[in-house]
Amino acid sequence: MKSSVLKSPEKDKETTIIYKPGRRDFLKLGSLAATGLILGVNFSCSDRKKGGEITELRSGAYLTITSDGKVIITAHRSEMGQGVRTSLPLIVADELGADWEKAEIVQAEGDEEKYGNQNTDGSFSVRMFYKPMREAGATAKLLLIRAAAGKWEVDESECDTDNGKVIHKSSGKSAGFGELVDLAAALPLPKPEEITLKDPSEFKIIGKDTPIIDLQDIVTGKAVYGIDAKVPGMKIAVIQRCPVVGGKVKSVNDKAALAIEGVLQVHTIEGAGIPPQLHKPLSGVAVIAENTWAAIRGRKALEIEWDLGPNAGYDSDKQQQELLEKTKEKGTVRRQRGDFDKTLKNASKVIEKTYLAPFYAHGTIEPPAALARVKDGKCEIWAPSQHPQWARDSVADALGMDVKDVSVNVTLIGGGFGRKSKPDFIVEAALLSQKSGFPVKIQWTREDDIQHDFYHAQSAQRIRAVIDKDNKVSGWNHHSTFPSISSTSDAGAVQPSDGEMRLGCVDFPYDVPSVRIETHDAKAHVRIGWLRSVSNIHHVFAAGSMLDEIAEARQMDPVANVLDMLGEDRSITFNEEMPQGEYDNYGENIKDYPWETGRLRQVIERVAEKSGWGREMPEGRALGFAAHRSFLTYVACVVEVAIDDRNHITIPNVYYALDCGQAVNTDRIRSQFEGGGQFAASLALNSAVTVKDGQVVQDNFDTYQIVRMPQAPQKIHVDIVESDAKPTGVGEPPEPPFIPALCNAIYRITGKRVHKLPVDLEA
Amino acid sequence: MAQYTLRINGVEHQIDAMPDMPLLWVLRDVLDMKGTKFGCGKALCGACTVHFDGVATRSCSLPVSAVQSAEITTIEGLSENGDHPLQKAWAEHVVPQCGYCQTGQIMSAAALLRENPSPSDEEIDSAMQGNLCRCGTYNRIKTAIRTASEK
């Protein structure tokens, strides 16, 4: 089959190239489809790592229609509960006019050349692939219509597709896609200007509730996660990792371990040292055994002497106090508007508050696990990876192999939240397979997971807000300090990166005449990584709490105060106020995804209405409010809190209003907000990782707690703004405003402000 | 190693295992029944829940030597065609997100409904508090249990 190329009309911005795959591509498809209509899609999309600059990314996400009428769509992003294996294919299916019940989804392996960017984080799958998926569906639709119109000798404009058929509207004649694929496959690809996308009013699947495709497999226990991967001859490994980051194995006595029935081999794993890196293992000793239990028992029997290294004296509580002290000093200015010091001189009131948040672990219920088989100069991986391409590159690097010889099969992910973007655990499996000669599955225990995670950074912040003689907010000075994610790969990185600072700090959107954002040095002594919504967690806890204090100082209602501070509806950029560069707008050009204060205002007004904001509450109950735009999605949140006379906190209701542009799967948008609220409740009320003598104190779900059903927010109401603006992500945006909304409600009941997470009413 | 005869989902299995090997690893590693999940190893998260003579039990903390003649039911044996009223209710309310903890959740809920066919909200909370869901599907779980209990 000839491979031909089609360019879409808007090629200067985001180019989608639809093509018919050549013979080589078919071989890759294997038994998937030998005949039928097959289209590849090459995506060009903005690569957020490069600050919104458009780069060409090749991709081969295939749409296949077989002669028996099946529509097979390749899912090239990783599924971890956000519903992406359903959301992206349904976009293709809707434009195509497919019978969704008959659609089949095939998971793509990790391959940058074929699939473009597969890094599933940053809430951007739908945002990035909405348009290309629509164009792929529309192209196939036109080919099928053209085939039918030719066969029936009618004008193609009189035909449409619906439910897996092409229909001739006036005669009612119809033909299933399967009957038409051979004719359609022989047609030349349509010209870009011939492709028309549906008007949103014609959508049949997009914008509605669609159940996830893996539902039945999940409820019957048939769904395959990384931990479930298996190949013949597979052995299991667990690793005793050095308790202190940067330490290493001095000596090991493995005699007792090897004497345990089922234990096969013991290997030392070299760690990266300092910096520990995001893609490399920690130093440790691995036990390979016939089964998981033998491996765990073998590990217990190891006698290891460690060189704990320079982090052995680290105390996280002590560091947090030191960071707090630093926020009193002059810092590195990250954004400047007006002259804050001058504003101070004309102050009528100055409010100055500090905010502390701890390290957090991801605590995915599936602990990290991955299977590797190194054989005949090749390495095959099965892993719950959010970023299979990075895993592939890292494994190739660690094994000294060509990337071409490494393949990564992506399983379902039993919770990701950013943890399973990092390929360290996958590299462990690969190294151990290479060393042992067996296919090896690495299994992390819960203790391994809590004690050796890439933690959300602990932080100290100080905000000063100035109110002038006219009761207007005239100044905002936010000091933020926390060890940066960059420190994990660069020991010299001691300041938060621009990427971290635009998460809820420098993107302060309020119409205040003087704004100064400052940061301070913070050294990392554990591995720092990203956790769902990243620095927004601590930044918005601080900013959202301070806005509530401002309302009180101005004697205003908190919602009215925020709407007043937001000012006139306008599009904002922060560029001219940022000495160190441009505001990167989550990797998207601000012209394409403008920061519109009117959209934030709208969700605030809607949440106030839906929550009955301002109503009388019984004693011991109150509503708290906060709003924030993150990952380009606008969210307002009201949390209802009840506290009984034993200081027991319950959350009867949570109200969200959100604007994520065009909704794709409303059920999964609601579920992400329901889950995001629960996740944030854990961060606010339960969880904290602390470090003593360089070692993490907590080790399982008794000491590192997350909300359980009796404590969980009881009702989470989600109000989605109807919009045909470009769709934006929903995985992370629910979290940030929840925490200050909760804290503000607690204040209304107890009269005590929350300055430290997790909340402790006895403190 | 010792030999054990286990009754799982109505079928007898002869297995060799270390006496202290938790039932979870017997199911997963020895019998290749992967619907029962590992989450914590300390009976703190409920991902490994099975029925032990009808009672919800954390298989990660139950040594195989303690199983003896008990009738064990796992998610694979909860219903013949994946159509237990709870499985249907789970589908109706699209409960799962990542789905990893859900087999344990369903097994806990099934043991609850067997004992108490129409539990109150408090009784649901109490029976389900040992099952963690990091994705935060608790409210849909509760709704699904209520739906199944009405049938």
mmCIF file of all heavy atoms in Angstrom, chain A residues 526-549:
data_model
loop_
_atom_site.group_PDB
_atom_site.id
_atom_site.type_symbol
_atom_site.label_atom_id
_atom_site.label_comp_id
_atom_site.label_asym_id
_atom_site.label_seq_id
_atom_site.Cartn_x
_atom_site.Cartn_y
_atom_site.Cartn_z
ATOM 1 N N VAL A 526 16.304 14.487 50.188
ATOM 2 C CA VAL A 526 15.587 13.278 49.751
ATOM 3 C C VAL A 526 15.264 13.493 48.271
ATOM 4 O O VAL A 526 15.497 14.575 47.740
ATOM 5 C CB VAL A 526 14.277 13.053 50.556
ATOM 6 C CG1 VAL A 526 14.586 12.697 52.003
ATOM 7 C CG2 VAL A 526 13.349 14.265 50.478
ATOM 8 N N ARG A 527 14.712 12.468 47.619
ATOM 9 C CA ARG A 527 14.353 12.635 46.206
ATOM 10 C C ARG A 527 13.050 13.420 46.115
ATOM 11 O O ARG A 527 12.046 13.043 46.725
ATOM 12 C CB ARG A 527 14.192 11.276 45.521
ATOM 13 C CG ARG A 527 15.444 10.413 45.579
ATOM 14 C CD ARG A 527 15.393 9.266 44.587
ATOM 15 N NE ARG A 527 14.419 8.251 44.933
ATOM 16 C CZ ARG A 527 14.276 7.097 44.260
ATOM 17 N NH1 ARG A 527 15.021 6.858 43.183
ATOM 18 N NH2 ARG A 527 13.375 6.210 44.637
ATOM 19 N N ILE A 528 13.068 14.493 45.351
ATOM 20 C CA ILE A 528 11.873 15.321 45.175
ATOM 21 C C ILE A 528 11.294 15.015 43.792
ATOM 22 O O ILE A 528 12.030 14.894 42.814
ATOM 23 C CB ILE A 528 12.213 16.830 45.248
ATOM 24 C CG1 ILE A 528 13.050 17.158 46.498
ATOM 25 C CG2 ILE A 528 10.944 17.670 45.204
ATOM 26 C CD1 ILE A 528 12.347 17.000 47.809
ATOM 27 N N GLY A 529 9.964 14.911 43.737
ATOM 28 C CA GLY A 529 9.324 14.659 42.447
ATOM 29 C C GLY A 529 7.996 15.381 42.368
ATOM 30 O O GLY A 529 7.662 16.170 43.253
ATOM 31 N N TRP A 530 7.255 15.113 41.312
ATOM 32 C CA TRP A 530 5.978 15.786 41.180
ATOM 33 C C TRP A 530 4.847 14.871 41.626
ATOM 34 O O TRP A 530 4.854 13.676 41.399
ATOM 35 C CB TRP A 530 5.750 16.327 39.771
ATOM 36 C CG TRP A 530 6.081 15.392 38.665
ATOM 37 C CD1 TRP A 530 5.231 14.565 38.005
ATOM 38 C CD2 TRP A 530 7.377 15.170 38.052
ATOM 39 N NE1 TRP A 530 5.908 13.844 37.038
ATOM 40 C CE2 TRP A 530 7.200 14.190 37.050
ATOM 41 C CE3 TRP A 530 8.644 15.708 38.266
ATOM 42 C CZ2 TRP A 530 8.260 13.738 36.259
ATOM 43 C CZ3 TRP A 530 9.703 15.246 37.484
ATOM 44 C CH2 TRP A 530 9.503 14.274 36.485
ATOM 45 N N LEU A 531 3.879 15.471 42.291
ATOM 46 C CA LEU A 531 2.688 14.791 42.782
ATOM 47 C C LEU A 531 1.500 15.597 42.275
ATOM 48 O O LEU A 531 1.516 16.838 42.354
ATOM 49 C CB LEU A 531 2.695 14.770 44.320
ATOM 50 C CG LEU A 531 1.407 14.304 45.008
ATOM 51 C CD1 LEU A 531 1.239 12.792 44.863
ATOM 52 C CD2 LEU A 531 1.429 14.658 46.507
ATOM 53 N N ARG A 532 0.496 14.903 41.784
ATOM 54 C CA ARG A 532 -0.758 15.503 41.292
ATOM 55 C C ARG A 532 -0.957 16.977 41.709
ATOM 56 O O ARG A 532 -1.179 17.256 42.876
ATOM 57 C CB ARG A 532 -1.918 14.665 41.827
ATOM 58 C CG ARG A 532 -3.253 14.962 41.201
ATOM 59 C CD ARG A 532 -4.317 14.053 41.772
ATOM 60 N NE ARG A 532 -5.530 14.142 40.992
ATOM 61 C CZ ARG A 532 -6.601 13.380 41.202
ATOM 62 N NH1 ARG A 532 -6.598 12.476 42.158
ATOM 63 N NH2 ARG A 532 -7.670 13.509 40.448
ATOM 64 N N SER A 533 -0.873 17.844 40.742
ATOM 65 C CA SER A 533 -1.004 19.316 40.815
ATOM 66 C C SER A 533 0.235 20.022 41.346
ATOM 67 O O SER A 533 0.322 21.248 41.353
ATOM 68 C CB SER A 533 -2.282 19.777 41.532
ATOM 69 O OG SER A 533 -2.066 20.101 42.871
ATOM 70 N N VAL A 534 1.234 19.264 41.769
ATOM 71 C CA VAL A 534 2.604 19.723 42.066
ATOM 72 C C VAL A 534 2.603 20.945 43.003
ATOM 73 O O VAL A 534 1.893 20.933 44.002
ATOM 74 C CB VAL A 534 3.398 19.935 40.753
ATOM 75 C CG1 VAL A 534 4.905 19.904 40.956
ATOM 76 C CG2 VAL A 534 3.055 18.833 39.723
ATOM 77 N N SER A 535 3.379 21.979 42.685
ATOM 78 C CA SER A 535 3.541 23.092 43.637
ATOM 79 C C SER A 535 2.257 23.868 43.870
ATOM 80 O O SER A 535 2.183 24.659 44.818
ATOM 81 C CB SER A 535 4.620 24.052 43.146
ATOM 82 O OG SER A 535 5.740 23.346 42.707
ATOM 83 N N ASN A 536 1.263 23.681 43.021
ATOM 84 C CA ASN A 536 -0.043 24.293 43.297
ATOM 85 C C ASN A 536 -0.534 23.899 44.694
ATOM 86 O O ASN A 536 -1.257 24.662 45.331
ATOM 87 C CB ASN A 536 -1.089 23.805 42.290
ATOM 88 C CG ASN A 536 -1.003 24.515 40.953
ATOM 89 O OD1 ASN A 536 -1.155 25.726 40.869
ATOM 90 N ND2 ASN A 536 -0.746 23.753 39.901
ATOM 91 N N ILE A 537 -0.175 22.696 45.148
ATOM 92 C CA ILE A 537 -0.686 22.205 46.432
ATOM 93 C C ILE A 537 -0.352 23.209 47.532
ATOM 94 O O ILE A 537 -1.236 23.707 48.227
ATOM 95 C CB ILE A 537 -0.086 20.812 46.779
ATOM 96 C CG1 ILE A 537 -0.560 19.755 45.785
ATOM 97 C CG2 ILE A 537 -0.439 20.417 48.218
ATOM 98 C CD1 ILE A 537 0.191 18.422 45.895
ATOM 99 N N HIS A 538 0.943 23.502 47.697
ATOM 100 C CA HIS A 538 1.302 24.389 48.810
ATOM 101 C C HIS A 538 1.079 25.864 48.489
ATOM 102 O O HIS A 538 0.691 26.639 49.353
ATOM 103 C CB HIS A 538 2.724 24.127 49.328
ATOM 104 C CG HIS A 538 3.803 24.081 48.295
ATOM 105 N ND1 HIS A 538 4.199 22.925 47.689
ATOM 106 C CD2 HIS A 538 4.574 25.055 47.770
ATOM 107 C CE1 HIS A 538 5.191 23.178 46.846
ATOM 108 N NE2 HIS A 538 5.417 24.470 46.876
ATOM 109 N N HIS A 539 1.298 26.241 47.214
ATOM 110 C CA HIS A 539 1.117 27.651 46.873
ATOM 111 C C HIS A 539 -0.329 28.104 47.057
ATOM 112 O O HIS A 539 -0.595 29.193 47.560
ATOM 113 C CB HIS A 539 1.547 27.901 45.420
ATOM 114 C CG HIS A 539 3.037 27.951 45.255
ATOM 115 N ND1 HIS A 539 3.670 27.532 44.105
ATOM 116 C CD2 HIS A 539 4.019 28.369 46.087
ATOM 117 C CE1 HIS A 539 4.976 27.700 44.238
ATOM 118 N NE2 HIS A 539 5.207 28.202 45.440
ATOM 119 N N VAL A 540 -1.261 27.265 46.631
ATOM 120 C CA VAL A 540 -2.665 27.699 46.683
ATOM 121 C C VAL A 540 -3.220 27.551 48.105
ATOM 122 O O VAL A 540 -4.097 28.306 48.510
ATOM 123 C CB VAL A 540 -3.501 26.957 45.617
ATOM 124 C CG1 VAL A 540 -4.962 27.373 45.663
ATOM 125 C CG2 VAL A 540 -2.917 27.248 44.233
ATOM 126 N N PHE A 541 -2.671 26.614 48.881
ATOM 127 C CA PHE A 541 -2.996 26.568 50.312
ATOM 128 C C PHE A 541 -2.682 27.938 50.932
ATOM 129 O O PHE A 541 -3.503 28.523 51.654
ATOM 130 C CB PHE A 541 -2.173 25.455 50.991
ATOM 131 C CG PHE A 541 -1.979 25.603 52.481
ATOM 132 C CD1 PHE A 541 -3.075 25.767 53.339
ATOM 133 C CD2 PHE A 541 -0.694 25.571 53.034
ATOM 134 C CE1 PHE A 541 -2.879 25.901 54.720
ATOM 135 C CE2 PHE A 541 -0.502 25.710 54.402
ATOM 136 C CZ PHE A 541 -1.592 25.881 55.247
ATOM 137 N N ALA A 542 -1.518 28.478 50.632
ATOM 138 C CA ALA A 542 -1.097 29.758 51.217
ATOM 139 C C ALA A 542 -1.912 30.925 50.646
ATOM 140 O O ALA A 542 -2.515 31.707 51.394
ATOM 141 C CB ALA A 542 0.395 29.979 50.969
ATOM 142 N N ALA A 543 -1.931 31.025 49.323
ATOM 143 C CA ALA A 543 -2.590 32.182 48.701
ATOM 144 C C ALA A 543 -4.089 32.180 48.985
ATOM 145 O O ALA A 543 -4.673 33.225 49.314
ATOM 146 C CB ALA A 543 -2.325 32.179 47.196
ATOM 147 N N GLY A 544 -4.714 31.022 48.892
ATOM 148 C CA GLY A 544 -6.160 30.924 49.118
ATOM 149 C C GLY A 544 -6.535 31.209 50.566
ATOM 150 O O GLY A 544 -7.610 31.737 50.851
ATOM 151 N N SER A 545 -5.636 30.850 51.498
ATOM 152 C CA SER A 545 -5.887 31.149 52.907
ATOM 153 C C SER A 545 -5.723 32.640 53.162
ATOM 154 O O SER A 545 -6.496 33.254 53.905
ATOM 155 C CB SER A 545 -4.909 30.370 53.796
ATOM 156 O OG SER A 545 -5.070 28.981 53.609
ATOM 157 N N MET A 546 -4.701 33.231 52.531
ATOM 158 C CA MET A 546 -4.454 34.663 52.733
ATOM 159 C C MET A 546 -5.582 35.517 52.160
ATOM 160 O O MET A 546 -5.971 36.530 52.759
ATOM 161 C CB MET A 546 -3.119 35.035 52.072
ATOM 162 C CG MET A 546 -2.688 36.448 52.340
ATOM 163 S SD MET A 546 -2.754 36.857 54.115
ATOM 164 C CE MET A 546 -1.253 37.731 54.342
ATOM 165 N N LEU A 547 -6.129 35.107 51.031
ATOM 166 C CA LEU A 547 -7.238 35.877 50.443
ATOM 167 C C LEU A 547 -8.414 35.927 51.421
ATOM 168 O O LEU A 547 -9.118 36.933 51.516
ATOM 169 C CB LEU A 547 -7.671 35.256 49.105
ATOM 170 C CG LEU A 547 -6.673 35.451 47.958
ATOM 171 C CD1 LEU A 547 -7.040 34.559 46.778
ATOM 172 C CD2 LEU A 547 -6.595 36.915 47.520
ATOM 173 N N ASP A 548 -8.615 34.853 52.159
ATOM 174 C CA ASP A 548 -9.684 34.798 53.149
ATOM 175 C C ASP A 548 -9.378 35.736 54.326
ATOM 176 O O ASP A 548 -10.275 36.385 54.871
ATOM 177 C CB ASP A 548 -9.832 33.356 53.649
ATOM 178 C CG ASP A 548 -11.243 33.040 54.102
ATOM 179 O OD1 ASP A 548 -12.125 32.978 53.224
ATOM 180 O OD2 ASP A 548 -11.459 32.871 55.319
ATOM 181 N N GLU A 549 -8.108 35.827 54.685
ATOM 182 C CA GLU A 549 -7.707 36.763 55.761
ATOM 183 C C GLU A 549 -7.925 38.208 55.302
ATOM 184 O O GLU A 549 -8.332 39.072 56.082
ATOM 185 C CB GLU A 549 -6.228 36.561 56.109
ATOM 186 C CG GLU A 549 -5.924 35.171 56.617
ATOM 187 C CD GLU A 549 -5.228 35.159 57.978
ATOM 188 O OE1 GLU A 549 -5.295 36.174 58.697
ATOM 189 O OE2 GLU A 549 -4.638 34.117 58.306
#
